[in-house]
Amino acid sequence: MLKKQHFELLKLIENEKKLSKIAELLNLTERSVRYKIDEINEEIGSKKIEIKKREFFSSLNKDDMDKLFENIESTNYIYNQKEREELIILYTLMKKDKFLLKEVAEKLGTSKSTIRNDLKNLKKILLEYNIKLLQDDKLKYYFDYSEEDYRYFIAIYLYKYVSFDKKYDKIFFDDISYFRKVIYKEIKEEYMSEIESVSKRIKKAELNFMDETLSILVILMVVSHKRQGKNYNLNIENTEILEKRQEYLQLKNFFPDFTNINLLFFTDYLFRISRDEKDVFVKFKNWLDISIAIIKIVRIFEIESKVDLKNIDVFFDKIFYYIKPLIFRTKRKIKLKNSILKDVKKLYPSIFNFLKKNFYYLEEVINEKVSDEEIAYLVPFFHKALQNNNKINKKGILVTTYKENIALFLKEDIETEFLIDIDKILTLKSFEQIEKNLDDYDYILTTFSLENDFVKEIKHTKIIELNPILTEKDIKKLENAGLKKNKKIKMTALLKVILENSSDVNVKKLINSLDEAFSEKIYNDIDKNKFSLGNFLKQENVFKVNLSSFEEILDKFSNLSFLQKSDINDIINRVANNNFYSYLGFKIGIIFHKLNTKNSQDSTLIAINEREIDINSKKISTIILINSNCEKKYRGIIYNFVKLFFLNNEFSFNNNRLSIYDYLISNI
């Protein structure tokens, strides 16, 4: 009869092949490990695991594992603490409103003292998800939570164990252990049929999201469906906005059995996790703090890399599109399954380590620790920012099951290296729909193996399987497939040669002339600053005052412009609590403030005070207030201010109205 250690051994040999290492991990001799392998093979009735030259070779299949699990007795398996905690969640939070200590102890076959200690640790874990574990006066345990927090927690719990196939019409369990077998049995009985039913309807709904997003949605819908008849309160914000979204209309059409509040709940999830920036003000009240945190990270990256990133507005678009779902997943503790962490650490270790070291700027704002897996997905963007964008000629499509941001990175990396225009990025489902209309494409690029029945009709289009992050092997593969390397001349390289051999050249005029005359042969990698401070700052908005406090200066701003009393109170309170972004440096304070959405005015006000005033223990004499409703424009101007002042102690100007104006206009 197999025991727990046999299954621990089976689990280890999935990733580790060296006998010496396995023995060390199990705290056994190599001879003992060999004996246990013999016992496993005997249980199967065939020599499926062999040790050759002190390395493991396994040919175990699913049927073999099923046979092993069927013969094991629960009394021979002792759960570890983590496994007990998972099972406690399964047997209590997911099934009961209240429970006694002895009930759980009997269920898991252990002592009450052991379960009591488990509950102490579990209590801390659940608090991270805003779920409280409490006791009443009869010593019964119970849970306190909001409905939203409960649903997300249970959905995330189930998502750890349930996976969907590539066609998104079947689900499976993808791990081997006795503990997982117990979990699967419970899930299968209560959730399996409904998960399969909802997943089939989701496929028909043709929601334009990546597979991982839809997988979580399916499970969230199943959990919600089990709760919707019990009058649990859901608090959904911005329902008017959500009801106008396409996702809501699609869900309403394919899921008439769900209540409207549930449909809004699912739409809210899709909005929060999607790359949709236009409503970001609605969902993130501290958008300003988030923006400046990211901009600080970018600025440090520029300084350490000794570059000024080109096309910075495009770069920020990509970064901020990803930041929104990153924050949502981080706050909800949603862990990515299709992680690229291992590849990123191998290919771009310096960029990953940089981001990991500096991501505390964002973590302080959202009050959450961001996982290495999430950080890894940002690495390609920073890598790409150091590369050049090029024109293309061949046509192709990219078919992938990876997240949209990674697909976009792969697309751009290929287009940078080769003369190819990747016209579309498709999920497998979308690819199936256009499969018969591929004659216009020279290449089909995929991140997985396409099944024969999908491609048997394709005759003139080359199909190339690639890694999600382009490697040297992939580049060689594309070259061998006939793609030509991009040979366009960079504008910066061309200018360097011209300027080294010429004098008295009008650089701006030269760039424009070269752009017009040789657009097909030159790639313009010059950063065109679209966020000039001149669009924000007027001379009449720079003025000298002699006031005694920060409040008085803000009152002065209010009298001169758009600033309202409520805005003043908001700025004072948030600056005082250090949760509103402000730069307070040597005699300079920069305050970024978002206007009311009804006011479309963009403006910058600068007050030069004749005396220094105290703001958060800093002596400030010049205050700069920046306002805008245009997120992209606002983000650009903040970037320029951060670039000028952040980690820069060398700036200086005379403390008078026109010199400050001239200094800022010339530098931003």
Side-chain angles (χ1 to χ4, degrees):
M1 187 67 68
L2 298 186
K3 299 182 179 180
K4 181 180 180 179
Q5 206 166 50
H6 291 94
F7 290 92
E8 290 177 344
L9 174 58
L10 287 171
K11 185 62 181 173
L12 286 172
I13 64 175
E14 288 182 352
N15 302 306
E16 179 58 58
K17 303 304 178 187
K18 293 186 180 298
L19 174 60
S20 59
K21 185 65 176 178
I22 294 290
E24 180 186 342
L25 291 170
L26 292 173
N27 197 26
L28 296 172
T29 65
E30 291 186 14
R31 177 177 290 184
S32 295
V33 174
R34 290 179 183 273
Y35 285 150
K36 292 189 178 299
I37 292 297
D38 290 340
E39 290 167 350
I40 292 171
N41 285 329
E42 185 178 347
E43 192 77 21
I44 299 170
S46 176
K47 197 173 183 179
K48 289 296 185 77
I49 305 175
E50 295 182 277
I51 301 175
K52 300 178 182 178
K53 295 181 180 180
R54 301 178 70 211
E55 287 194 1
F56 287 92
F57 297 87
S58 175
S59 58
L60 287 173
N61 55 37
K62 186 178 180 300
D63 290 338
D64 297 327
M65 295 307 303
D66 287 342
K67 185 176 181 179
L68 292 175
F69 287 132
E70 286 172 3
N71 294 331
I72 194 171
E73 293 182 2
S74 61
T75 54
N76 292 334
Y77 191 92
I78 302 173
Y79 300 110
N80 62 36
Q81 182 178 346
K82 180 61 182 174
E83 292 171 345
R84 290 196 304 272
E85 290 169 359
E86 290 282 285
L87 290 172
I88 290 171
I89 293 170
L90 181 63
Y91 295 140
T92 61
L93 181 60
M94 295 176 65
K95 295 179 180 292
K96 294 184 175 185
D97 294 327
K98 291 187 177 184
F99 63 94
L100 289 169
L101 194 67
K102 67 175 184 178
E103 295 174 341
V104 180
E106 290 172 1
K107 185 76 174 177
L108 297 183
T110 189
S111 67
K112 289 195 291 184
S113 61
T114 298
I115 299 298
R116 188 178 290 108
N117 289 329
D118 292 340
L119 289 174
K120 285 181 181 178
N121 190 57
L122 187 59
K123 186 176 183 178
K124 296 176 184 177
I125 295 171
L126 291 174
L127 271 178
E128 296 178 7
Y129 297 85
N130 301 317
I131 297 174
K132 296 178 182 177
L133 176 60
L134 306 169
Q135 273 187 290
D136 62 19
D137 53 2
K138 295 182 180 179
L139 300 180
K140 276 195 172 185
Y141 288 89
Y142 68 97
F143 301 95
D144 183 49
Y145 47 74
S146 74
E147 183 63 14
E148 298 96 310
D149 289 335
Y150 175 87
R151 294 189 184 188
Y152 275 112
F153 177 81
I154 300 301
I156 294 164
Y157 177 94
L158 292 171
Y159 181 62
K160 288 187 294 188
Y161 300 107
V162 177
S163 297
F164 295 77
D165 70 354
K166 291 175 182 177
K167 290 186 179 182
Y168 204 65
D169 57 3
K170 294 180 182 177
I171 62 175
F172 60 91
F173 303 122
D174 57 357
D175 201 359
I176 55 169
S177 71
Y178 177 70
F179 163 70
R180 291 272 178 141
K181 198 77 172 180
V182 174
I183 293 283
Y184 298 159
K185 184 175 181 282
E186 296 285 342
I187 294 175
K188 186 175 181 179
E189 291 177 355
E190 188 165 354
Y191 292 95
M192 188 60 63
S193 61
E194 193 163 0
I195 288 176
E196 288 181 338
S197 173
V198 171
S199 66
K200 288 177 181 177
R201 285 197 282 171
I202 282 291
K203 185 179 180 181
K204 292 179 181 178
E206 297 183 353
L207 295 165
N208 191 27
F209 292 86
M210 299 305 289
D211 293 346
E212 190 167 38
T213 297
L214 294 178
S215 297
I216 296 172
L217 175 63
V218 168
I219 298 171
L220 193 62
M221 293 179 73
V222 170
V223 173
S224 299
H225 198 249
K226 290 182 176 296
R227 307 273 295 176
Q228 75 173 8
K230 299 181 181 180
N231 296 319
Y232 296 111
N233 293 322
L234 280 171
N235 183 26
I236 310 295
E237 298 178 351
N238 308 298
T239 56
E240 292 183 1
I241 294 173
L242 296 174
E243 284 177 340
K244 295 177 182 178
R245 296 185 68 86
Q246 184 62 34
E247 307 94 273
Y248 169 79
L249 299 175
Q250 288 172 275
L251 288 170
K252 191 175 182 179
N253 184 38
F254 285 92
F255 295 91
D257 50 323
F258 282 86
T259 63
N260 192 60
I261 191 69
N262 272 306
L263 295 175
L264 290 169
F265 178 60
F266 309 144
T267 306
D268 184 69
Y269 157 75
L270 291 173
F271 167 74
R272 290 174 182 266
I273 208 165
S274 69
R275 293 177 67 255
D276 187 342
E277 197 183 14
K278 63 180 181 288
D279 294 323
V280 76
F281 277 124
V282 174
K283 291 300 176 186
F284 294 118
K285 294 183 174 72
N286 60 340
W287 168 85
L288 197 53
D289 308 87
I290 293 168
S291 295
I292 206 63
I294 298 301
I295 289 170
K296 280 183 174 181
I297 294 170
V298 172
R299 183 56 189 150
I300 298 172
F301 181 73
E302 288 184 309
I303 292 170
E304 291 193 6
S305 303
K306 298 179 180 179
V307 298
D308 283 325
L309 296 178
K310 308 304 178 184
N311 301 314
I312 195 68
D313 56 322
V314 176
F315 175 59
F316 276 132
D317 274 347
K318 296 172 182 177
I319 294 295
F320 278 88
Y321 278 145
Y322 182 72
I323 288 297
K324 176 174 169 241
L326 176 149
I327 292 172
F328 173 71
R329 285 191 298 268
T330 299
K331 285 186 171 294
R332 286 296 180 186
K333 309 293 189 297
I334 298 173
K335 295 181 180 179
L336 298 167
K337 283 187 176 181
N338 295 328
S339 175
I340 60 167
L341 179 60
K342 186 177 180 181
D343 292 326
V344 162
K345 282 184 173 181
K346 182 179 179 180
L347 293 169
Y348 314 114
S350 60
I351 298 178
F352 173 79
N353 291 331
F354 163 81
L355 288 175
K356 186 172 174 62
K357 181 179 72 175
N358 290 283
F359 229 66
Y360 72 89
Y361 285 107
L362 178 65
E363 291 169 341
E364 286 179 346
V365 172
I366 65 175
N367 198 31
E368 297 281 354
K369 181 70 176 176
V370 179
S371 70
D372 286 0
E373 287 77 12
E374 289 285 2
I375 292 173
Y377 275 101
L378 282 168
V379 170
F381 295 117
F382 283 82
H383 168 72
K384 182 62 184 176
L386 300 175
Q387 310 302 310
N388 301 308
N389 299 320
N390 294 286
K391 297 287 184 178
I392 32 68
N393 57 5
K394 291 287 186 180
K395 289 191 69 175
I397 57 173
L398 177 60
V399 188
T400 182
T401 58
Y402 281 86
K403 298 179 70 66
E404 187 178 4
N405 58 290
I406 290 301
L408 285 168
F409 164 70
L410 182 59
K411 169 184 181 295
E412 291 178 7
D413 218 12
I414 295 168
E415 290 177 344
T416 297
E417 290 284 340
F418 296 95
L419 297 172
I420 183 171
D421 179 7
I422 298 175
D423 187 53
K424 292 182 175 67
I425 299 176
L426 303 174
T427 62
L428 181 59
K429 179 177 63 181
S430 303
F431 175 70
E432 291 175 11
Q433 296 171 358
I434 70 158
E435 181 189 352
K436 297 179 181 179
N437 301 307
L438 297 172
D439 291 341
D440 293 335
Y441 296 102
D442 303 293
Y443 295 88
I444 298 172
L445 309 175
T446 79
T447 57
F448 59 91
S449 298
L450 291 174
E451 296 178 10
N452 291 333
D453 58 338
F454 283 171
V455 300
K456 61 185 179 182
E457 302 271 336
I458 304 171
K459 297 178 181 178
H460 305 293
T461 306
K462 293 183 179 179
I463 302 169
I464 305 172
E465 184 179 348
L466 304 170
N467 291 294
I469 294 177
L470 200 67
T471 65
E472 288 298 322
K473 287 184 178 180
D474 293 325
I475 292 173
K476 191 68 178 175
K477 189 183 292 186
L478 291 168
E479 284 184 293
N480 293 338
L483 275 174
K484 295 181 179 179
K485 284 291 196 80
N486 196 334
K487 296 181 180 180
K488 290 193 84 177
I489 302 170
K490 293 188 208 175
M491 179 69 79
T492 51
L494 185 61
L495 283 176
K496 183 180 179 182
V497 175
I498 294 173
L499 296 175
E500 284 176 352
N501 295 276
S502 306
S503 59
D504 297 324
V505 175
N506 186 319
V507 177
K508 287 186 178 179
K509 188 176 180 179
L510 176 61
I511 292 171
N512 290 333
S513 298
L514 290 170
D515 255 343
E516 291 177 7
F518 305 105
S519 60
E520 296 301 315
K521 297 184 178 183
I522 297 175
Y523 170 60
N524 189 352
D525 60 338
I526 303 293
D527 187 17
K528 298 177 180 179
N529 191 348
K530 301 177 182 180
F531 308 108
S532 170
L533 188 59
N535 298 326
F536 277 70
L537 181 61
K538 300 176 182 177
Q539 283 193 16
E540 58 265 29
N541 285 344
V542 183
F543 50 90
K544 297 195 73 170
V545 293
N546 186 8
L547 301 170
S548 59
S549 69
F550 184 38
E551 290 86 342
E552 289 182 14
I553 292 175
L554 292 176
D555 281 331
K556 180 71 173 178
F557 285 159
S558 175
N559 294 332
L560 292 173
S561 67
F562 45 78
L563 208 59
Q564 305 297 313
K565 188 67 178 176
S566 58
D567 297 320
I568 294 174
N569 293 334
D570 182 54
I571 291 172
I572 292 170
N573 291 333
R574 301 187 74 186
V575 169
N577 294 323
N578 290 313
N579 61 356
F580 182 81
Y581 181 73
S582 60
Y583 173 87
L584 300 175
F586 181 67
K587 296 185 177 182
I588 297 173
I590 305 173
I591 308 297
F592 301 103
H593 183 62
K594 173 173 64 69
L595 293 174
N596 186 293
T597 54
K598 295 180 180 179
N599 191 333
S600 60
Q601 188 175 7
D602 305 319
S603 189
T604 299
L605 298 173
I606 300 177
I608 306 161
N609 205 40
E610 291 185 4
R611 68 182 96 169
E612 293 180 352
I613 58 174
D614 186 87
I615 305 178
N616 286 8
S617 302
K618 297 278 183 77
K619 300 298 182 181
I620 305 295
S621 58
T622 300
I623 293 179
I624 303 172
L625 178 68
I626 306 169
N627 300 264
S628 181
N629 278 320
C630 175
E631 188 171 337
K632 186 174 288 191
K633 188 190 297 183
Y634 199 30
R635 191 175 63 210
I637 201 69
I638 292 174
Y639 166 75
N640 281 324
F641 267 103
V642 171
K643 189 173 181 179
L644 185 61
F645 292 114
F646 182 57
L647 298 180
N648 181 5
N649 298 315
E650 298 179 359
F651 61 88
S652 63
F653 47 75
N654 296 322
N655 208 22
N656 66 74
R657 187 172 74 84
L658 292 181
S659 70
I660 290 178
Y661 175 80
D662 292 339
Y663 178 84
L664 294 174
I665 290 295
S666 62
N667 285 279
I668 299 181

